[in-house]
């Protein structure tokens, strides 16, 4: 019974978070982010301002959450779903690329909003840090390593590389907005991600080989 209550409570919390972020993005698109107050978001989601503050510390966080969702858990899940025989480097890079370039993520209007507002760009990039913990667990599970430090260092390096790629892409995209308001992405983001993550492949491969030698001396 306790487990069921906990599950229902978590579902309710997730639903509240999603309602707040959806309301924040909708109001920001309708009015412009500078004209949206925390009170407006809370009212639109049907909760109190106090409840809002339990989930987000700024309107930028709430707006960005509408387009990032639970990406950090999806990255880890994508790694876990990789077929047997796929190397760690490939598993990590493809999981990242898949989750950061999924169709409709974010939508054109949301992307335009994020890329043309420095505060939103910063908040969007800041969400990358959330992938580090679940990615650490996923890498550790892949390595079967009892030492968590290697997995943590690798996950932190991956998160840093994603941040570099995303910052670069958002800056170039922000300068590629046409007079008609359309976002014209500068280059392929999947290609940029792979290029930025490529220098980490040898370290990921080496960690995997070392783990294999420990298991099979």
């Amino acid at each position: 019974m306790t487990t069921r209550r906990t599950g229902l409570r978590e579902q309710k919390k997730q639903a509240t978070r999603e309602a707040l972020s959806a309301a924040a993005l909708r109001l920001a698109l309708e009015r412009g982010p500078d004209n949206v107050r925390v009170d407006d978001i809370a009212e639109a989601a049907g909760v109190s301002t106090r409840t809002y503050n339990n989930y987000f510390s700024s309107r930028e966080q709430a707006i960005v959450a509408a387009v990032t969702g639970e990406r950090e858990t999806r990255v880890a899940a994508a790694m876990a779903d990789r077929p047997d025989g796929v190397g760690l480097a490939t598993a990590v890079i493809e999981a990242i690329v898949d989750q950061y370039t999924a169709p409709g993520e974010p939508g054109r209007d949301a992307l335009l909003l994020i890329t043309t507002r420095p505060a939103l760009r910063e908040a969007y990039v800041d969400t990358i840090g959330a992938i580090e913990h679940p990615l650490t667990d996923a890498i550790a599970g892949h390595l079967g390593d009892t030492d968590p430090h290697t997995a943590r260092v690798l996950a932190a390096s991956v998160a840093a590389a994603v941040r570099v790629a995303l910052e670069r892409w958002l800056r170039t995209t922000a300068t590629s907005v046409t007079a008609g308001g359309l976002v014209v992405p500068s280059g392929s983001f999947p290609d940029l991600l792979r290029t930025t993550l490529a220098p980490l492949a040898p370290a990921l491969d080496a960690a995997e080989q070392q783990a294999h030698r420990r298991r099979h001396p």
Side-chain angles (χ1 to χ4, degrees):
M1 181 64 72
T2 301
T3 301
R4 182 179 178 184
R5 283 199 300 267
T6 301
L8 291 174
R9 185 162 58 247
E10 290 303 315
Q11 290 177 18
K12 184 177 180 180
K13 288 172 63 177
Q14 182 60 29
T16 300
R17 180 181 176 84
E18 290 175 357
L20 284 166
S21 59
L25 178 60
R26 176 173 57 80
L27 291 173
L29 289 171
E30 290 175 356
R31 306 177 184 178
D34 294 339
N35 299 315
V36 178
R37 301 176 306 164
V38 167
D39 290 348
D40 299 330
I41 299 171
E43 181 179 359
V47 301
S48 67
T49 302
R50 181 178 179 180
T51 296
Y52 174 95
N53 291 331
N54 289 334
Y55 291 86
F56 301 107
S57 61
S58 70
R59 66 185 174 191
E60 287 79 15
Q61 279 189 355
I63 293 168
V64 165
V67 298
T68 58
E70 297 299 314
R71 182 183 284 153
E72 63 273 13
T73 57
R74 288 186 279 121
V75 168
M79 276 192 63
D81 289 341
R82 290 288 167 183
D84 292 339
V86 173
L88 179 60
T90 299
V92 169
I93 292 172
E94 292 307 312
I96 293 291
V97 171
D98 286 350
Q99 297 307 314
Y100 276 88
T101 59
E105 188 173 310
R108 190 195 73 183
D109 291 342
L111 181 60
L112 176 61
L113 188 72
I114 290 169
T115 56
T116 55
R117 302 298 200 285
L120 289 176
R121 289 203 303 270
E122 183 177 349
Y124 187 64
V125 171
D126 283 346
T127 64
I128 296 168
I131 73 172
E132 188 173 327
H133 181 70
L135 189 57
T136 296
D137 292 342
I139 291 174
H142 194 104
L143 295 176
D145 197 344
T146 57
D147 177 8
H149 299 300
T150 297
R152 185 176 179 184
V153 169
L154 291 171
S157 300
V158 170
V162 174
R163 177 185 290 271
V164 169
L166 191 55
E167 285 177 340
R168 178 180 173 188
W169 193 73
L170 285 174
R171 281 199 304 269
T172 56
T173 300
T175 61
S176 304
V177 180
T178 69
L182 297 178
V183 175
V184 182
S186 178
S188 165
F189 187 49
D191 289 346
L192 180 57
L193 265 177
R194 288 193 174 90
T195 298
T196 309
L197 289 166
L200 299 179
L204 291 163
D205 288 338
E208 185 173 40
Q209 291 165 9
Q210 186 175 24
H212 180 77
R213 285 196 294 269
R214 280 199 294 268
R215 290 195 297 268
H216 307 283

